Structures are given as C-alpha cells and as structure tokens.
Amino acid sequence: MAQNETTLPTTEEEWRVRLSPDEFRVLRQAGTEAPWSGEYVSTKTEGMYDCRACGAALYPSTDKFDSNCGWPSFDDAIPGAVKEINDFSHGMARTEIRCANCDSHLGHVFRGEHMTAKNTRHCVNSLSIKLDPKTA
C-alpha cells in the first residue's frame, strides 16, 4: 500500500535519512546496481513489487519475466504507476522510468526487443523495489 503523499520526504536530506546509502544512490541519484547482484533478479515469488522509497504498487509479479540482462525485468507496469523521462546520460539515448508517486529512479524501459508479446522490458534495479508476497 502506498504511503500517504503528505508523509513523503520533501528534501533530498530527508530521503537520505529514510533510505540506506545504496538505496539513496539508486533511487534518488539515478544510480544502478551491479548486474546479477540484486535480490529480485531470479525471484519467482508471486506478489506485488512496490516502490522501495514510497511503497506505491508498481509491478505485479505476473508481468515479471527472465530477460537474462542481470536485473529484474517486467513487460508492463500498473497503469499510471511509472513515468518515463528521456535520458541522454552516458552518451546513450534511453528512457528512464521513475515512480509516478515519489519520482524515485527505478531503471530504464526498452522497446522493440521482442522478448515478450508486449515487446517491452522494464529493466528495474532490485534496490528500487520491494516484493510484497502474495499470501494465501
């Protein structure tokens, strides 16, 4: 469940207190974790992947797939949960994805790779998300 917007930090210093140093680097400074290092790369557990910064629901586990890219991959997000921003850093033209609720960096989205029927891959840092397992 997403936290109330009024409880979200309003400054980067407040975010720094709320997040671990690695989470802050990825979520608030658009960093990335090393490939194959994230806790959710190979996870098959059913549930909902939420934003680690604010708790907003982002990706149902049914949209997760094995892309063999080194990061968790999803072929879709909950409508309106993720926003896309042009990213021209590192000499590349990519599309950054951020949490629509708190503007935290999630990763990048790639299209046209033909990995799924939706032809989309949200390449997400494990440090940007938190799995809320489906309970029976």
Side-chain angles (χ1 to χ4, degrees):
M1 179 185 308
Q3 296 174 11
N4 185 318
E5 282 189 41
T6 59
T7 66
L8 290 178
T10 57
T11 67
E12 291 308 300
E13 284 308 311
E14 290 173 351
W15 279 114
R16 193 179 298 276
V17 169
R18 181 180 208 157
L19 303 170
S20 75
D22 285 338
E23 291 168 346
F24 183 83
R25 181 182 55 78
V26 170
L27 287 158
R28 304 307 302 171
Q29 297 178 319
T32 190
E33 61 198 7
W36 306 106
S37 69
E39 67 180 304
Y40 299 122
V41 174
S42 301
T43 301
K44 305 282 188 217
T45 305
E46 291 183 16
M48 180 63 66
Y49 288 87
D50 300 331
C51 176
R52 192 176 293 246
C54 72
L58 302 172
Y59 300 100
S61 61
T62 52
D63 289 327
K64 189 173 188 290
F65 70 98
D66 292 326
S67 67
N68 295 312
C69 72
W71 292 271
S73 296
F74 303 86
D75 67 358
D76 210 350
I78 293 172
V82 172
K83 64 182 180 178
E84 298 183 6
I85 299 169
N86 290 330
D87 177 3
F88 299 104
S89 65
H90 307 290
M92 297 180 272
R94 300 180 294 173
T95 303
E96 178 185 3
I97 48 177
R98 292 187 186 182
C99 174
N101 187 54
C102 71
D103 200 38
S104 289
H105 174 76
L106 303 172
H108 290 86
V109 64
F110 302 94
R111 293 183 174 84
E113 297 175 321
H114 305 287
M115 292 184 167
T116 70
K118 294 179 183 176
N119 206 16
T120 301
R121 175 172 58 98
H122 288 236
C123 185
V124 180
N125 291 285
S126 288
L127 283 169
S128 295
I129 53 179
K130 185 76 174 164
L131 176 61
D132 183 8
K134 184 176 184 179
T135 55

